[in-house]
Amino acid sequence: MRYAETGYNLEVDLATGNIERVQTDPKLAETLLGGLGTCLKIMWDRTTPDTHAFDPENPLIISSGLMAGTPAFSSNRTLICTLSPKTNLLAYPMGGGFFAPELKYAGYDKIIFTNKSPKWVYLWVHNDKVEIRDAEHLLGTGAIEVQDLIREELNEPNAQVAAIGTAGELKSYIATVEMGRGSASRMGAASVWGDKKIKAVAVRGTKDVNLADGPAFLEALKDMRAFVDERNHNRLSSKNIMDIHTGVGSPQAMEIVDESWHTGGFSWGNARYRKKDFWNDELEEAWTKIQYGAIQRFISCYACPQQCGALIWHEEDPPYMAKCYSKLSYLFGSETEDQNFSWKILSKSFRYGVDSFSTPQVLAMAVEMRRDGVLKEEDFAATDEYPACPPPEEKQEVFLWILDRIGKGQGIGKILALGTKAAAEKIGVNPEHYAHNITKGEEQMNVKLGMLDPMYFLMFATNEKQSVPQIEGNWTQDAFRDPKDREEFVKDWIHLPHERFIKYFLDWEPKSREGGPFMNPEYPTPEIASDIVDWMEEIHNYDDSLGICCGMGGFCLKPAYHVHNYYKFVSTAAGIDVDQYGLRKIIHRSRNLHRAFQMRRGMTRADDAPPADHWRHRFPELEEKLLTTYYNFKGWNDDGVPTRIRLEELDLGYVADELEDLGILKKVETTDEDKETWESRRKEQWGY
Amino acid sequence: MAKIKKTIRRINIKADLCNGCRLCEIMCSAAHSTPKYGTINPARARIQIIRDPLKDIWLPVFAGEYTPAECSGRLNYEIDNKSYGECAFCRAVCPSRGRFVEPDSGLPLGCDMCQSDPELETPACVEWCMRDVLTYEEREVEVEEEDLKLDEMKIGLEALANRYGMDEIKDAVARMSQKA
């Protein structure tokens, strides 16, 4: 019997229509857990450095995490894993909601599509009955309404549906996969759905998911519940951190109205300038009315005690479910302050199925290009298909008009649908000026600051998801000014992986005119920054393989899940006999396989760089030192490639062989002494 | 007629507070699995959330009595400008829909308030509902002895009589008595 996982994948060949239910090796879960970990192994085995996102050989994997379908809180993430057409690296966006658990109940851990369908289809998975169904009649439908259309067509109100909108059909690089309450959004993964002509996947399952030791699992869950209950009644003090980060769960942007921090700290337009004095009482009053007027109900994802999402019924706009930062991103981009506009444009953007992170920046870039004359007025003129774009001063209407062109694949929208970098290149301008807010080709948070922050430098530079919220979260964004507050904060910081982290926090000072050795950019030092960032990334890696919302783990201060309790859920649910150090080794294995995969695809040290204008004050020498120190901390060479010693220690000798054969990893003679040196460092750093 | 005390067990449902997490379904299926907490399968849950998210419908419904036949009519509720489909509030395990039946065998499921050994303090769904949608209460009432429902054996016999006829049951009992 298999525990937590079903032990089966569904292999779908879209060219021949052949569908196989394939049993997986139990060793895979023991060595790589599930979710991202096991997806990486499939991607490593089935792609070459030359495979492109739109090649038939590129697998498209829809994956649950190892914990999906169990009662583990917030274990509901659906991971879409494929090659990104946008970054040419691994795309693995994750969406919340209900899809992944339903897939488990249908009896599958993953659906793996290969090749391309000659016509538009959707997949219907109902336990052992799986069929590829015609979807030609669904073309042009929105990503939200098509879910209901399919449920009606199947007469299965309880089916969970993941679908693309028209942006995905048109292979837009900013397209998303929408699944009821969640969106898998980043790195253009949805364009691969369009390329393979998959409009949607519907699933209904009524089978069991087994727990290896149910009573012990329940005890671990009760402990977590007590923690969440306590935290819900006693949030962290907001003296030094923002309101939206004081609870557990995703940032509570639906519940909390006060956005003084985001609106004053983040950049507006095409991530160009800040409005430090934007927030005021009058605005808070207006936004409270609008926000609570639009929210019909706060909603959860599957198996989650929190309610970070909201059902939005706003004016005449078709309803949808919103979450988190999307509330603000279009406001920033369009430079407007009317929150009504957020709710209106989101209703449209979720239907087209476009990413709320990247799209506002694409739209803002188009506005800039129009202003600068890079895009001509004829690009905004009326045609037989659509009306003329409103004048520039009608900012909201302009945004809606450009979004329509992207969503419908018309005129200039065809180019803008490729994201800022590829669009700027196609338009023939210097992408570094207009597409300035990117890492490895992916739009970043619209944040532009003054002084280099060593930890954020490493996070922006090296995060494989090219999204800073997917690596940050467990460490505060800023130092606390009052040492007493620091002392108080560390008192119950049970989440830290090692006592030495307490000292890091107590020593850390906020930036001041006087300067000093314990402030940015000197502090955290490269060694300490590496230690902290590596730990933060580790938490996200657990989430990504277990299928847990990072709002309960990686992207949360003092979260519900942490290094001292993940293993309890893994061991009792999946029956994998590990303690926290055993689990750490597993997650390091998948992290290093991930890194090797990216390097095999041609990524280099030079690609590990934040947007050039992210900070005004940069320190090239220090940045190089930070990168090298971080690489070496992780067991990578100065090029950022995992060393043979590191890979072999993680049973990835075959990966080292291939990297050496490709000339990516330099062949170096390693002695027993080298191994011993590494092993003692590893023990000191990570405890195993 | 003597008065006797009887415990009424009740689960209150505040549907407006439901946020659709379905922990109640998950934990119900876990508590009723063999071994206890060994398997999870919301399709086996005795509480299910009738849901139509975009229409703001999240409605926890508990499995009630098995009925061998569909009812003759349908109800449609309009509450707070929301339209609840026919059967939405119905608890019956009924052939007109697939709800509240064991996925493998098709046998009916019924909410037993988690009566188990050892006894749970509250039903599992209530214990794990973290938004106070479900609350549990017990209260004692005095009833006439006659008002008491048939005990379990009588209910079982009645079901058998409905299915095979009273004469068949009598014959079977007579044959079994002779063997004993």
Side-chain angles (χ1 to χ4, degrees):
Chain A
M1 189 185 272
R2 301 287 272 270
Y3 297 104
E5 60 169 0
T6 66
Y8 290 93
N9 290 338
L10 203 53
E11 299 264 4
V12 182
D13 183 332
L14 291 160
T16 61
N18 186 51
I19 300 170
E20 304 267 353
R21 180 171 175 258
V22 179
Q23 191 167 6
T24 55
D25 184 345
K27 279 273 169 232
L28 278 171
E30 290 170 26
T31 52
L32 291 162
L33 301 177
L36 175 61
T38 41
C39 280
L40 280 162
K41 181 75 174 99
I42 294 166
M43 295 300 289
W44 179 270
D45 291 345
R46 299 195 195 185
T47 64
T48 71
D50 304 320
T51 312
H52 183 270
F54 295 155
D55 288 344
E57 302 77 38
N58 177 28
L60 171 63
I61 310 171
I62 303 173
S63 177
S64 63
L66 184 63
M67 289 295 113
T70 76
F73 282 166
S74 320
S75 55
N76 51 51
R77 261 39 195 175
T78 305
L79 184 137
I80 311 292
C81 191
T82 188
L83 293 174
S84 166
K86 196 177 184 184
T87 66
N88 201 33
L89 298 167
L90 190 81
Y92 59 107
M94 295 166 80
F98 299 80
F99 188 93
E102 197 74 30
L103 183 63
K104 279 267 184 85
Y105 298 133
Y108 311 98
D109 299 314
K110 298 182 197 304
I111 302 171
I112 306 168
F113 290 103
T114 46
N115 294 324
K116 301 186 188 193
S117 169
K119 60 181 184 126
W120 282 94
V121 294
Y122 73 90
L123 189 76
W124 169 222
V125 181
H126 188 187
N127 296 330
D128 295 341
K129 187 176 145 213
V130 182
E131 53 180 319
I132 297 171
R133 295 173 65 107
D134 178 64
E136 292 284 335
H137 60 297
L138 298 169
L139 270 201
T141 50
I144 295 177
E145 53 265 41
V146 74
Q147 297 172 43
D148 278 335
L149 288 171
I150 286 172
R151 273 188 281 267
E152 279 166 34
E153 192 169 288
L154 298 169
N155 194 24
E156 264 296 343
N158 287 328
Q160 296 298 332
V161 184
I164 56 171
T166 50
E169 289 173 22
L170 297 159
K171 300 207 281 189
S172 163
Y173 294 180
I174 52 175
T176 62
V177 178
E178 296 294 327
M179 39 192 127
R181 159 77 181 82
S183 315
S185 298
R186 310 240 65 209
M187 296 175 282
S191 66
V192 179
W193 287 52
D195 183 61
K196 293 191 184 298
K197 289 196 161 59
I198 304 163
K199 177 66 181 174
V201 177
V203 61
R204 172 68 179 136
T206 58
K207 296 186 181 186
D208 294 346
V209 168
N210 304 307
L211 300 180
D213 186 347
F217 179 94
L218 208 68
E219 286 312 304
L221 196 65
K222 280 179 178 169
D223 288 347
M224 181 172 284
R225 187 224 168 112
F227 175 88
V228 172
D229 267 337
E230 162 64 21
R231 185 68 169 277
N232 283 343
H233 290 102
N234 297 293
R235 288 187 173 182
L236 301 177
S237 160
S238 58
K239 183 179 173 186
N240 295 290
I241 51 182
M242 306 81 66
D243 275 347
I244 55 166
H245 291 168
T246 55
V248 283
S250 290
Q252 299 295 301
M254 295 298 120
E255 179 198 355
I256 291 169
V257 178
D258 182 348
E259 288 290 359
S260 51
W261 182 79
H262 273 128
T263 56
F266 283 37
S267 295
W268 292 70
N270 184 18
R272 293 296 187 190
Y273 66 98
R274 284 164 75 177
K275 293 186 181 183
K276 288 187 182 176
D277 302 322
F278 177 80
W279 199 250
N280 57 46
D281 291 349
E282 199 181 317
L283 200 66
E284 180 152 5
E285 193 181 337
W287 278 30
T288 303
K289 278 199 188 105
I290 297 167
Q291 190 166 316
Y292 278 81
I295 291 171
Q296 179 67 16
R297 184 187 294 244
F298 291 105
I299 49 175
S300 289
C301 291
Y302 188 78
C304 184
Q306 303 307 85
Q307 42 187 30
C308 314
L311 170 64
I312 304 297
W313 282 6
H314 176 256
E315 296 176 352
E316 300 305 308
D317 304 316
Y320 59 95
M321 290 175 261
K323 58 264 174 193
C324 200
Y325 183 65
S326 55
K327 183 181 87 176
L328 294 170
S329 56
Y330 286 95
L331 283 186
F332 284 133
S334 61
E335 303 173 77
T336 57
E337 63 177 52
D338 180 3
Q339 206 202 53
N340 280 304
F341 176 63
S342 271
W343 305 121
K344 177 183 280 302
I345 197 165
L346 285 174
S347 177
K348 219 183 238 278
S349 70
F350 285 137
R351 282 172 164 72
Y352 287 139
V354 287
D355 175 6
S356 300
F357 242 70
S358 291
T359 310
Q361 291 179 53
V362 172
L363 303 179
M365 183 181 83
V367 167
E368 260 187 6
M369 287 178 161
R370 183 190 194 188
R371 184 199 63 204
D372 295 351
V374 170
L375 288 176
K376 309 293 178 210
E377 271 314 302
E378 52 262 33
D379 293 318
F380 296 89
T383 69
D384 294 344
E385 285 181 309
Y386 52 83
C389 181
E393 58 272 19
E394 292 180 29
K395 292 174 177 176
Q396 297 178 14
E397 296 309 315
V398 169
F399 250 49
L400 291 164
W401 186 92
I402 304 170
L403 178 62
D404 281 340
R405 301 294 74 76
I406 291 172
K408 293 175 181 174
Q410 296 168 329
I412 192 66
K414 280 189 232 156
I415 294 173
L416 295 171
L418 301 173
T420 55
K421 181 171 178 274
E425 284 167 351
K426 216 162 182 145
I427 289 164
V429 291
N430 175 7
E432 282 173 21
H433 175 65
Y434 287 103
H436 65 106
N437 195 37
I438 54 172
T439 294
K440 301 181 182 89
E442 181 76 338
E443 290 78 14
Q444 298 301 299
M445 272 284 207
N446 49 318
V447 178
K448 301 293 162 195
L449 301 167
M451 179 57 69
L452 176 95
D453 178 320
M455 286 187 293
Y456 275 86
F457 169 81
L458 290 175
M459 289 192 277
F460 271 104
T462 64
N463 175 33
E464 306 296 9
K465 218 175 202 174
Q466 292 100 57
S467 296
V468 88
Q470 300 300 321
I471 184 167
E472 68 171 333
N474 264 258
W475 193 260
T476 61
Q477 291 181 331
D478 296 299
F480 292 3
R481 191 161 298 283
D482 186 344
K484 284 199 194 79
D485 290 343
R486 291 176 224 162
E487 293 277 0
E488 193 59 35
F489 196 76
V490 299
K491 267 184 195 165
D492 63 349
W493 209 350
I494 55 168
H495 312 72
L496 296 174
H498 194 279
E499 272 187 15
R500 63 182 182 262
F501 283 67
I502 293 175
K503 185 170 170 17
Y504 301 160
F505 192 75
L506 294 177
D507 286 346
W508 190 30
E509 299 274 357
K511 195 74 200 145
S512 70
R513 287 182 194 283
E514 300 80 54
F518 291 103
M519 302 173 187
N520 291 355
E522 289 84 7
Y523 196 89
T525 63
E527 290 75 16
I528 293 172
S530 297
D531 206 2
I532 297 168
V533 170
D534 176 77
W535 163 61
M536 279 200 272
E537 183 185 70
E538 185 184 306
I539 308 290
H540 280 278
N541 287 157
Y542 291 124
D543 294 340
D544 292 351
S545 285
L546 301 177
I548 288 166
C549 166
C550 66
M552 296 292 271
F555 188 49
C556 180
L557 272 173
K558 298 186 176 178
Y561 288 98
H562 47 84
V563 293
H564 308 292
N565 71 6
Y566 279 111
Y567 77 93
K568 293 179 184 174
F569 295 95
V570 172
S571 57
T572 57
I576 300 170
D577 184 19
V578 281
D579 60 8
Q580 72 176 76
Y581 300 106
L583 197 66
R584 175 167 289 155
K585 183 174 179 176
I586 294 173
I587 221 69
H588 281 201
R589 183 179 295 121
S590 76
R591 175 65 186 102
N592 281 272
L593 180 57
H594 195 168
R595 183 70 184 183
F597 181 86
Q598 305 285 66
M599 301 315 264
R600 188 177 73 165
R601 294 199 61 74
M603 193 174 88
T604 65
R605 177 178 174 129
D607 295 310
D608 275 347
D613 60 355
H614 187 80
W615 295 280
R616 278 197 309 283
H617 303 291
R618 299 289 294 264
F619 301 84
E621 212 173 299
L622 172 62
E623 290 171 23
E624 290 303 320
K625 193 177 178 205
L626 275 162
L627 212 50
T628 304
T629 307
Y630 185 62
Y631 285 172
N632 297 166
F633 182 94
K634 289 175 99 70
W636 302 347
N637 64 20
D638 290 1
D639 298 328
V641 185
T643 63
R644 174 169 281 281
I645 290 176
R646 180 70 163 131
L647 290 167
E648 282 183 347
E649 164 234 316
L650 296 165
D651 315 309
L652 296 172
Y654 66 94
V655 172
D657 294 343
E658 190 166 337
L659 293 179
E660 283 180 358
D661 290 346
L662 291 166
I664 291 162
L665 180 61
K666 294 187 192 93
K667 287 186 181 177
V668 182
E669 284 300 318
T670 52
T671 62
D672 287 348
E673 198 184 337
D674 294 331
K675 282 183 190 168
E676 281 165 24
T677 305
W678 170 249
E679 274 173 26
S680 75
R681 253 189 69 184
R682 190 188 67 206
K683 243 188 178 49
E684 192 186 329
Q685 287 177 182
W686 298 308
Y688 75 87
Chain B
M1 190 68 66
K3 293 250 187 206
I4 54 167
K5 287 195 170 157
K6 181 186 169 194
T7 302
I8 302 283
R9 312 171 82 212
R10 189 163 80 167
I11 294 174
N12 300 303
I13 306 163
K14 287 187 180 168
D16 276 352
L17 297 179
C18 180
N19 57 23
C21 74
R22 298 172 63 194
L23 270 165
C24 53
E25 295 180 14
I26 295 165
M27 290 309 187
C28 174
S29 75
H32 287 91
S33 72
T34 308
K36 213 177 176 99
Y37 308 118
T39 59
I40 312 298
N41 184 351
R44 294 188 199 274
R46 285 116 163 108
I47 174 175
Q48 296 191 8
I49 311 286
I50 309 267
R51 50 191 194 275
D52 195 341
L54 294 178
K55 292 179 182 158
D56 191 31
I57 289 173
W58 275 272
L59 184 65
V61 176
F62 287 84
E65 297 295 317
Y66 166 73
T67 174
E70 293 183 35
C71 56
S72 54
R74 292 281 192 271
L75 303 170
N76 199 57
Y77 290 90
E78 293 279 340
I79 304 171
D80 290 341
N81 296 320
K82 288 186 282 189
S83 181
Y84 291 85
E86 53 195 30
C87 315
F89 291 89
C90 183
R91 295 181 58 195
V93 185
C94 145
S96 74
R97 58 180 186 178
R99 203 176 289 283
F100 302 133
V101 291
E102 278 281 0
D104 300 336
S105 62
L107 289 170
L109 297 164
C111 171
D112 57 0
M113 297 257 177
C114 285
Q115 284 182 330
S116 63
D117 187 18
E119 194 75 23
L120 292 181
E121 240 174 80
T122 59
C125 57
V126 177
E127 185 192 349
W128 285 93
C129 176
M130 292 175 70
R131 294 285 162 184
D132 297 329
V133 179
L134 308 174
T135 50
Y136 177 71
E137 65 171 301
E138 285 182 8
R139 66 179 196 280
E140 293 219 319
V141 290
E142 284 195 338
V143 291
E144 299 286 349
E145 201 167 6
E146 258 187 15
D147 292 347
L148 277 178
K149 274 192 175 176
L150 293 167
D151 62 26
E152 243 177 80
M153 187 177 74
K154 281 186 181 167
I155 290 171
L157 283 171
E158 238 182 25
L160 289 169
N162 283 342
R163 188 165 178 180
Y164 300 107
M166 188 53 87
D167 291 344
E168 279 286 338
I169 304 294
K170 281 179 186 168
D171 289 349
V173 171
R175 281 197 299 274
M176 286 163 76
S177 310
Q178 282 167 0
K179 278 182 187 173

